[in-house]
């Protein structure tokens, strides 16, 4: 029984979808400009509803958590991490696991590091703890969404409209590019040693936007973490290979 709603948290109305009645609560954290509808339907629908209560959220300024208008101050990941944890707590979950994709993976890393008492387990994929000069080149190559394929653009344009999507995406590129000026391009390197929960890092070896140095770095700096490589996976491996992805995640969370 899939339900949806809005919950007021930290001064904003956050949209979420929820499915399943299991004891183990899981929060799905979408990527940049992403939202539950575009990023996570195969997980919301197909993760075992007897074992898990799965919640997908739209971070502030994304998807159906608008207004507010989205902005990207240097602490935007920290702000999302606080919102995510406060949303789950406000919904009544005492302890929960995190499944974070890409930017949502970064948010999950920060949330787990800052709230070890609330986080059960964590899975991240397509995430990075720093921004390298090579990453900056990749961001700049995807800055202009008019150069994306129509198929890549369409789901985002359906959510935001073409103009707002293009503007917000550029603002995101500017936002994430800020980190390259920090020592080591630091987003959350210093927080990784604080992560105490069992952590699974998944990586698609054909991911064109997140070089494999990132998952290996996370694996090295998160104590006891596991790394699962998917040889044919790209950035959207959980949407392209939902059966394998969901099975690996259920085995890990179970
Ligand atoms: N982090 C982006 C997301 O959350 C994905 C992305 C990574 C996009 C690298 C561009 O150069 C890039 N979906």
């Amino acid at each position: 029984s899939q339900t949806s709603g809005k919950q007021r948290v930290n001064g904003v109305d956050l949209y979420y979808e929820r499915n399943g009645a299991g004891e183990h609560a899981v929060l799905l954290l979408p990527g940049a400009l992403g939202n539950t509808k575009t990023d996570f339907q195969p997980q919301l629908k197909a993760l075992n509803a007897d074992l898990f209560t799965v919640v997908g959220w739209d971070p502030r300024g994304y998807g159906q958590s608008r207004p507010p208008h989205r902005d990207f101050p240097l602490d935007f990941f920290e702000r999302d991490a606080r919102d995510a944890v406060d949303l789950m707590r406000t919904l009544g979950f005492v302890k929960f696991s995190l499944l974070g994709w890409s930017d949502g993976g970064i948010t999950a890393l920060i949330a787990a590091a800052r709230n070890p008492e609330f986080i059960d387990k964590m899975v991240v994929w397509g995430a990075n703890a720093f921004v390298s000069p090579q990453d900056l080149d990749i961001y700049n190559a995807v800055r202009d969404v008019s150069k994306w394929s129509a198929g890549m653009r369409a789901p985002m344009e359906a959510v935001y409209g073409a103009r707002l999507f293009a503007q917000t995406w550029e603002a995101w590129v500017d936002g994430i590019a800020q980190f390259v000026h920090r020592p080591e391009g630091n987003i959350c390197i210093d927080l990784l040693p604080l992560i105490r929960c069992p952590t699974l890092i998944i990586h698609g070896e054909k991911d064109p936007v997140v070089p494999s140095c990132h998952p290996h770095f996370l694996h090295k700096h998160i104590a006891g973490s596991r790394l699962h490589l998917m040889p044919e996976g790209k950035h959207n491996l959980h949407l392209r290979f939902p059966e394998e992805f969901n099975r690996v995640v259920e085995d890990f969370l179970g």
Side-chain angles (χ1 to χ4, degrees):
S1 63
Q2 202 163 324
T3 59
S4 64
K6 284 195 172 187
Q7 176 65 52
R8 190 142 189 101
V9 173
N10 300 331
V12 294
D13 293 319
L14 295 175
Y15 174 82
Y16 65 92
E17 296 181 20
R18 175 177 176 153
N19 192 36
E23 283 221 2
H24 191 150
V26 177
L27 178 67
L28 309 170
L29 299 99
L33 279 69
N35 56 92
T36 310
K37 284 245 179 316
T38 53
D39 286 10
F40 284 131
Q41 288 310 309
Q43 282 66 50
L44 255 186
K45 290 199 164 63
L47 284 171
N48 188 324
D50 296 324
L51 297 179
F52 303 107
T53 297
V54 183
V55 177
W57 78 309
D58 295 3
R60 63 167 71 202
Y62 288 170
Q64 295 183 68
S65 294
R66 289 178 293 151
H69 182 73
R70 178 76 191 201
D71 60 358
F72 298 92
L74 199 51
D75 69 345
F76 75 88
F77 286 116
E78 294 273 357
R79 185 179 62 183
D80 284 339
R82 199 176 317 117
D83 287 346
V85 170
D86 291 348
L87 171 65
M88 289 300 274
R89 303 274 303 162
T90 307
L91 291 175
F93 299 104
V94 177
K95 225 175 165 191
F96 46 92
S97 291
L98 301 173
L99 260 61
W101 178 37
S102 206
D103 271 27
I106 302 171
T107 302
L109 295 168
I110 295 171
R114 296 236 184 262
N115 305 275
E117 68 278 34
F118 301 144
I119 307 304
D120 198 348
K121 296 184 178 181
M122 170 165 61
V123 183
V124 296
W125 65 109
N128 49 297
F130 61 90
V131 174
S132 70
Q134 182 195 2
D135 294 319
L136 192 62
D137 289 343
I138 301 172
Y139 297 135
N140 282 324
V142 299
R143 172 187 291 271
D144 179 355
V145 298
S146 71
K147 293 182 188 148
W148 292 23
S149 71
M152 288 273 292
R153 253 192 344 245
M156 289 292 201
E157 291 184 340
V159 172
Y160 295 100
R163 206 181 133 80
L164 182 62
F165 169 55
Q167 286 171 352
T168 312
W169 184 262
E170 282 203 26
W172 174 77
V173 171
D174 290 338
I176 191 132
Q178 303 175 87
F179 293 101
V180 85
H181 303 297
R182 307 218 301 193
E184 299 168 287
N186 182 23
I187 301 175
C188 61
I189 295 172
D190 48 320
L191 294 178
L192 301 180
L194 302 178
I195 295 171
R196 297 269 174 271
C197 63
T199 298
L200 172 64
I201 300 147
I202 303 178
H203 185 65
E205 295 190 87
K206 294 189 172 157
D207 188 331
V209 290
V210 178
S212 62
C213 62
H214 288 296
H216 288 286
F217 184 92
L218 294 175
H219 183 41
K220 185 171 164 199
H221 289 93
I222 301 174
S225 61
R226 286 192 226 165
L227 178 60
H228 178 88
L229 298 175
M230 290 174 58
E232 293 304 314
K234 297 185 184 174
H235 196 58
N236 64 351
L237 54 90
H238 63 299
L239 299 173
R240 181 75 179 72
F241 303 107
E243 289 88 6
E244 177 180 354
F245 177 87
N246 287 358
R247 179 171 39 75
V248 168
V249 166
E250 287 181 346
D251 286 350
F252 174 74
L253 294 180

